[in-house]
Amino acid sequence: MAPMRIILASSSPRRKQLLARLGLRFDIIVPAIDESRLPAEDLVEYAQRLSRQKAAAVLAHINPQPSLIIAADTIVEQHGDLLGKPPDARVAQAMLLRLRGQAHTVISGFTVRRVGDFPRIITRHARTTVHMRDYSEGEIATYIASGDPFDKAGGYAIQNTKFHPVARIEGSYSNVVGLPLEALRRALGELGLSTAL
């Protein structure tokens, strides 16, 4: 694969950290899209569609030089309901109480879009089942006061070592953080891009 610009289409500091683990040098361009779910849209297709739209939005703002755009979208689902980013402490508390001691699903759709010579688009997804521990209401209050829940779907971070909300998972850990590295690495390999992991 010829040297090309790699672009991460995300403002997420967690995705930036995860992608850096693959040993890649990349730029960041934050896409602006409508993230509304379509009526009766399947959750996997919803996450994948948003990742494709994010990649397309970045493509519209770059020069037509050889580039590789990586875009992703992560959703949290429980019993058919989507749990987005809580806008305030009340909603964060309700989410964390709902998830406490229960299982839910984290789905990430991602798109790798090669631009220039031999253009190609790969869109895939990863799914992880997350089992939360039975944390206390006091722990919830302390965690909310830290400010950590508010920019995270589902209102929690699996990697938060003080709150440590998760008892166990079935599937990819990095998917729950926001970027399924195992599946992404395979897709990049199909495009001829070697990674550190």
Side-chain angles (χ1 to χ4, degrees):
M1 185 179 191
M4 61 172 55
R5 183 186 186 193
I6 299 174
I7 301 167
L8 174 63
S10 177
S11 62
S12 166
R14 292 166 297 283
R15 289 199 181 111
K16 178 182 177 182
Q17 292 166 356
L18 287 168
L19 188 58
R21 288 176 52 189
L22 296 183
L24 302 175
R25 303 184 75 167
F26 56 91
D27 299 323
I28 292 175
I29 298 178
V30 180
I33 66 166
D34 179 357
E35 298 192 13
S36 302
R37 184 182 178 192
L38 300 177
E41 186 173 29
D42 174 80
L43 291 178
V44 170
E45 177 51 36
Y46 174 49
Q48 292 186 148
R49 176 177 61 80
L50 291 185
S51 76
R52 287 192 298 269
Q53 290 183 344
K54 289 178 180 181
V58 166
L59 178 60
H61 291 90
I62 62 174
N63 295 325
Q65 68 189 84
S67 302
L68 188 76
I69 303 169
I70 300 170
D73 194 82
T74 300
I75 60 176
V76 174
E77 176 271 334
Q78 188 185 49
H79 307 313
D81 296 328
L82 290 180
L83 303 181
K85 299 174 183 178
D88 55 42
R90 180 187 60 81
V91 176
Q93 181 187 40
M95 281 187 184
L96 291 168
L97 285 171
R98 172 179 177 158
L99 294 173
R100 179 173 63 179
Q102 302 293 318
H104 63 275
T105 303
V106 176
I107 300 169
S108 290
F110 69 90
T111 292
V112 180
R113 182 164 185 167
R114 182 173 175 169
V115 182
D117 297 337
F118 309 107
R120 186 176 173 192
I121 300 175
I122 297 175
T123 299
R124 295 195 180 137
H125 78 281
R127 183 193 305 261
T128 303
T129 301
V130 180
H131 300 265
M132 303 293 266
R133 68 179 181 88
D134 190 17
Y135 38 74
S136 69
E137 292 191 26
E139 288 177 299
I140 292 175
T142 299
Y143 181 54
I144 291 173
S146 76
D148 196 52
F150 300 112
D151 66 339
K152 298 168 182 69
Y156 74 92
I158 188 174
Q159 69 273 24
N160 188 290
T161 56
K162 290 185 177 179
F163 184 40
H164 57 92
V166 175
R168 63 185 176 89
I169 66 170
E170 300 166 32
S172 167
Y173 177 91
S174 62
N175 177 45
V176 183
V177 180
L179 190 64
L181 291 184
E182 305 86 353
L184 175 61
R185 183 176 180 272
R186 288 192 293 272
L188 292 172
E190 291 176 29
L191 296 177
L193 186 65
S194 59
T195 58
L197 290 180

